[in-house]
Amino acid sequence: ADAYFNCGMALESDGDPHTARWHWKKYLELEPTGTYAQIARAHLAEAAGGPYVRDHRAPRTRRAAKGNV
């Protein structure tokens, strides 16, 4: 599981935040209370602009979130 976290960090550093997020989510699936879980959640929250929620569906757009679909 640590390899997923480390890949996420390397990918973020290399400018690929989308793939980094996938790796952090995978890490959290395998180790939700692991050594790096808080750090992974913090990176996911920062990337999403809010706290990480354990929901892997596509994010809603602002328009959809406001009910203006």
Side-chain angles (χ1 to χ4, degrees):
D2 288 357
Y4 286 106
F5 175 82
N6 291 329
C7 282
M9 296 301 288
L11 288 161
E12 181 187 52
S13 179
D14 285 345
D16 189 358
H18 175 76
T19 309
R21 285 191 301 268
W22 184 91
H23 282 79
W24 290 320
K25 288 178 185 179
K26 186 66 176 177
Y27 170 80
L28 289 170
E29 285 177 20
L30 297 172
E31 294 284 341
T33 60
T35 304
Y36 306 110
Q38 288 184 328
I39 298 168
R41 284 189 183 90
H43 281 276
L44 288 168
E46 183 179 320
Y52 172 67
V53 178
R54 192 176 183 171
D55 184 354
H56 301 290
R57 293 178 294 183
R60 295 170 44 177
T61 63
R62 289 177 189 245
R63 178 177 279 175
K66 292 181 180 178
N68 299 329
V69 182

